[in-house]
Amino acid sequence: MCGIVGVLGDHEVAPILVEALKRLEYRGYDSAGIATVNAGRLDRRRAVGKLVNLSDLLVHDPLAGKSGIGHTRWATHGAPSIANAHPHRARRVAVVHNGIIENFRALRDELVAQGAGFESDTDTETVAHLAQVFLDQGLAPREAAERTLERLEGAFALLFLFEGEDDLMIAARKGSPLAVGHGEGEMFVGSDAIALAPLTHRITYLEEGDRAIVTRAGAQFFDDQGRPVNREIRTIEIDATRVEKGGYKHFMAKEIAEQPSVMGDALRHYISESGEIVLPGGGIDFTRVSRLTMVACGTAYLACMTAKYWIEQLAGLPVDVDIASEFRYREPPIPEGTLAVFVSQSGETADTLAALRYCADKAQRIVSVVNVPESSIARESDLALPILAGAEISVASTKGFTCQLAVLALVALEAARQRGTLDAPTLARHIEDLRSMPGRLNAALATEPRTEAIARLLSEATDVLFLGRGAMYPLALEGALKLKEISYIHAEGYASGELKHGPIALVDNTVPVIVLAPHDRLFDKTVSNMQEVMARGGKVLLVTDARGAAEAGEGVWQCLAMPEVPELFAPILYALPAQMLAYHTAVAKGTDVDQPRNLAKSVTVE
Ligand code: G6P
């Protein structure tokens, strides 16, 4: 949450900062701002709301300078306002920050007592005032920044810019990601490599506790004890076309449509031509694993819940699935033989990272399933399994989810192979079925016009229920999550069999009930639950296949027929109607689909 960027350039820097912030807007869009040093003079511009407001402001009130920092905000301390927008500044220093300074109240009291005048409600402003105190004591910018950092508790990626210093930025990382980009006589800093992609592909990631002293001549890196350290420069290839809308109205629409192709990429990466599963880095020895603990947040958590059905059923391994923010403070015992698996699209989610570190401290082997291969979670894992979905920009995860499912399905099949719980022909059939998924996803996408028509009706509702049984239960939760996060319609997902234990009280003829029910071995059971809804006047949208529609489609409010899919992998395919329903409902309601209110894509605070 919050994106930060810095440039020591050889051109006017304001437009470059704004372009880079555009690529970070997925991290927050409550306000945006930039600061520059021009002929030694520090100045800033800030605007509330989306980045476009800052761009407009800069047209009327430009900001000159070839050195600058910028920020796009997801509010934690203090409402979205100009005063609370970054960069924050004291007299001779400006800072941008991603994270939370946990001891800011004590620091603020101390600084106010020394006469500092605060303008904002933020934790970040303390950092600027603290640095100013050290500058006033006669310390050089580098020492002032160092002394400031020593006083800070919490999590941060910070970037300092100083009055009178046209050729200096100081970056620091503790808990929040930060990357330094190397150009030709220019240097860059950003929250991620995507922000810097058009500027340079040569990236150094700061390690935990690192500081970087950046000038146009290059960057020097120091660890948290101030010792000089070498940090590798990597060449990061980011496909720029995956960060553009490519003719679609929204990134979400593009990312939904991309699913057959990116899943094809992921499957080709993990399945050899002869049909064997190949996990990188020596894979996982499942003969030594007796249980799995899977930890994640949001949609990634629901991918883990789905994988639990697969891994338990196919490989006979018990699986615990945990929400990262709960796991990290519960201090759960990790018995011998546990494999800890962390799933995260961004690879930067603060709670998931903290849960990973908890397990790493217990000498666990860490496996992660991530989309961003250079992310903190990937880099701190013993084995990172990339999902290869390409940049996902829309805040609501779509292709990230289905590619997570595809990789987790492969993990389940590989576990089953090693443990001998599936015979060779059955295993080969499942792998072939998985390989057929991109084609089936294409067929599911072809139902979009019908989904759109139903979504227009759904957009009238104020409450919606999703039901699913077995591995369709996590998908019911995902369908409800998607719908609520982008259309703001209240939605809940339930296990079909649980309906009569409470939620059925909500059913009346104003509450659409979306039943996710492929014609599988649990179909009759789910249909019974659906009948219970209809008997109480509920309006059912049955999402099923041709057989399901023929058997149970009569009398329902709406029926949406999906292509046939092997039972095991139905959750992957049925994710698409759930996504399309949410998308078109949000479009019908006119909400901001890609950047829904109050949310951010990369949640780097607790
Ligand atoms: C946020 C996003 C979700 C995402 C969740 C976990 O809430 O809006 O789409 O599922 O974070 O993110 P991660 O990057 O760890 O998968």
Side-chain angles (χ1 to χ4, degrees):
M1 329 202 104
C2 298
I4 68 180
V5 65
V7 177
L8 298 177
D10 58 10
H11 295 79
E12 283 303 305
V13 89
I16 304 173
L17 290 169
V18 170
E19 269 308 304
L21 287 175
K22 243 184 225 165
R23 289 166 182 270
L24 289 173
E25 215 180 3
Y26 72 87
R27 290 174 156 262
Y29 28 82
D30 288 331
S31 64
I34 60 172
T36 61
V37 178
N38 184 32
R41 189 168 164 273
L42 186 61
D43 201 356
R44 64 179 166 172
R45 300 284 182 274
R46 301 175 293 168
V48 177
K50 300 275 173 71
L51 191 57
V52 66
N53 299 341
L54 177 67
S55 301
D56 291 349
L57 172 72
L58 287 166
V59 172
H60 306 293
D61 193 6
L63 193 58
K66 294 180 181 173
S67 317
I69 57 177
H71 188 270
T72 177
R73 179 170 189 244
W74 187 84
T76 60
H77 294 70
S81 66
I82 301 250
N84 289 332
H86 299 221
H88 287 287
R89 80 171 281 190
R91 242 175 24 263
R92 287 171 50 211
V93 56
V95 291
V96 287
H97 170 216
N98 164 210
I100 293 176
I101 307 298
E102 287 171 359
N103 59 336
F104 85 96
R105 284 195 181 81
L107 291 173
R108 189 182 169 119
D109 290 348
E110 185 184 317
L111 289 157
V112 168
Q114 290 173 30
F118 275 78
E119 290 175 357
S120 78
D121 307 316
T122 65
D123 51 335
T124 308
E125 196 182 352
T126 53
V127 182
H129 286 293
L130 198 53
Q132 182 60 50
V133 166
F134 292 120
L135 291 170
D136 287 344
Q137 289 172 6
L139 297 185
R142 186 182 152 183
E143 281 74 38
E146 190 51 47
R147 296 285 295 278
T148 302
L149 293 167
E150 281 166 11
R151 299 286 318 273
L152 305 181
E153 290 166 19
F156 49 78
L158 275 167
L159 202 47
F160 296 80
L161 190 70
F162 300 90
E163 173 125 322
E165 301 282 349
D166 283 285
D167 192 21
L168 178 69
M169 289 188 291
I170 297 180
R173 174 199 168 143
K174 185 181 164 212
S176 303
L178 207 49
V180 170
H182 305 258
E184 296 298 326
E186 296 184 293
M187 289 294 286
F188 313 99
V189 178
S191 294
D192 66 24
I194 294 181
L196 306 182
L199 302 168
T200 179
H201 289 182
R202 297 174 63 235
I203 300 289
T204 302
Y205 287 97
L206 268 67
E207 300 287 332
E208 193 54 13
D210 277 1
R211 293 89 163 87
I213 311 293
V214 186
T215 66
R216 285 182 181 78
Q220 294 170 284
F221 297 92
F222 300 86
D223 67 11
D224 56 356
Q225 304 300 313
R227 292 175 297 227
V229 281
N230 280 325
R231 298 288 179 231
E232 184 195 347
I233 301 180
R234 309 175 194 205
T235 303
I236 309 287
E237 290 307 335
I238 291 176
D239 179 355
T241 60
R242 294 228 166 139
V243 217
E244 307 291 339
K245 278 192 201 146
Y248 288 87
K249 195 169 165 203
H250 298 103
F251 278 108
M252 186 175 178
K254 175 180 177 246
E255 288 160 7
I256 288 173
E258 274 175 353
Q259 290 177 102
S261 107
V262 290
M263 188 173 298
D265 294 345
L267 294 172
R268 275 190 296 281
H269 181 81
Y270 286 103
I271 305 173
S272 71
E273 280 191 11
S274 54
E276 273 138 28
I277 297 169
V278 187
L279 298 185
I284 303 162
D285 183 355
F286 280 104
T287 60
R288 299 177 63 181
V289 172
S290 53
R291 68 183 308 117
L292 270 84
T293 288
M294 303 185 74
V295 185
C297 300
T299 288
Y301 167 75
L302 299 173
C304 295
M305 266 182 83
T306 313
K308 174 182 168 79
Y309 286 83
W310 290 333
I311 295 167
E312 292 189 341
Q313 185 189 332
L314 297 172
L317 274 171
V319 179
D320 298 320
V321 180
D322 244 302
I323 293 172
S325 55
E326 289 300 311
F327 178 88
R328 61 180 293 192
Y329 292 116
R330 206 175 65 237
E331 301 186 3
I334 314 277
E336 183 108 347
T338 304
L339 178 72
V341 180
F342 301 86
V343 180
S344 174
Q345 188 284 127
S346 64
E348 300 294 352
T349 302
D351 285 320
T352 310
L353 185 57
L356 179 155
R357 288 178 180 157
Y358 172 81
C359 289
D361 282 349
K362 299 211 161 335
Q364 288 290 301
R365 183 155 189 260
I366 305 295
V367 174
S368 62
V369 175
V370 288
N371 195 29
V372 181
E374 305 296 338
S375 60
S376 306
I377 289 177
R379 283 182 295 119
E380 293 190 28
S381 301
D382 298 302
L383 176 66
L385 302 176
I387 62 166
L388 302 159
E392 192 181 64
I393 306 295
S394 166
V395 164
S397 182
T398 52
K399 61 176 181 170
F401 178 64
T402 46
C403 286
Q404 283 163 355
L405 289 182
V407 172
L408 291 170
L410 286 163
V411 168
L413 291 171
E414 174 60 6
R417 182 191 70 77
Q418 288 184 27
R419 293 167 55 81
T421 49
L422 280 184
D423 59 43
T426 312
L427 179 68
R429 180 167 51 79
H430 287 324
I431 292 175
E432 255 335 285
D433 285 347
L434 204 46
R435 273 175 152 174
S436 74
M437 288 308 293
R440 295 177 197 275
L441 297 188
N442 261 325
L445 289 175
T447 65
E448 187 157 11
R450 170 101 181 103
T451 326
E452 187 176 352
I454 296 174
R456 262 183 256 122
L457 304 173
L458 269 187
S459 66
E460 309 285 314
T462 48
D463 300 278
V464 175
L465 298 181
F466 283 76
L467 301 183
R469 198 178 261 273
M472 302 306 283
Y473 162 48
L475 201 63
L477 298 175
E478 170 62 4
L481 178 61
K482 278 293 83 87
L483 187 67
K484 74 181 121 191
E485 69 184 333
I486 60 169
S487 76
Y488 315 145
I489 293 176
H490 170 244
E492 300 290 341
Y494 289 101
S496 313
E498 191 64 12
L499 187 71
K500 53 182 128 354
H501 299 290
I504 202 162
L506 299 173
V507 168
D508 65 20
N509 62 6
T510 65
V511 180
V513 180
I514 303 179
V515 181
L516 303 171
H519 194 280
D520 58 15
R521 71 199 155 88
L522 301 174
F523 181 71
D524 292 341
K525 307 271 176 211
T526 311
V527 166
S528 301
N529 303 134
M530 186 181 98
Q531 299 297 350
E532 292 157 12
V533 169
M534 287 162 63
R536 284 154 183 85
K539 342 199 287 198
V540 167
L541 160 55
L542 175 62
V543 185
T544 183
D545 46 33
R547 277 185 298 160
E551 263 180 45
E554 211 165 299
V556 298
W557 174 56
Q558 300 288 332
C559 185
L560 182 58
M562 287 293 114
E564 294 292 329
V565 59
E567 178 171 340
L568 196 56
F569 303 124
I572 300 179
L573 187 125
Y574 278 68
L576 271 60
Q579 296 165 355
M580 292 189 291
L581 282 170
Y583 173 73
H584 287 295
T585 304
V587 171
K589 291 199 71 180
T591 58
D592 191 339
V593 173
D594 284 335
Q595 296 181 332
R597 70 184 178 203
N598 305 341
L599 297 176
K601 186 152 190 71
S602 186
V603 181
T604 54
V605 293
E606 287 188 42

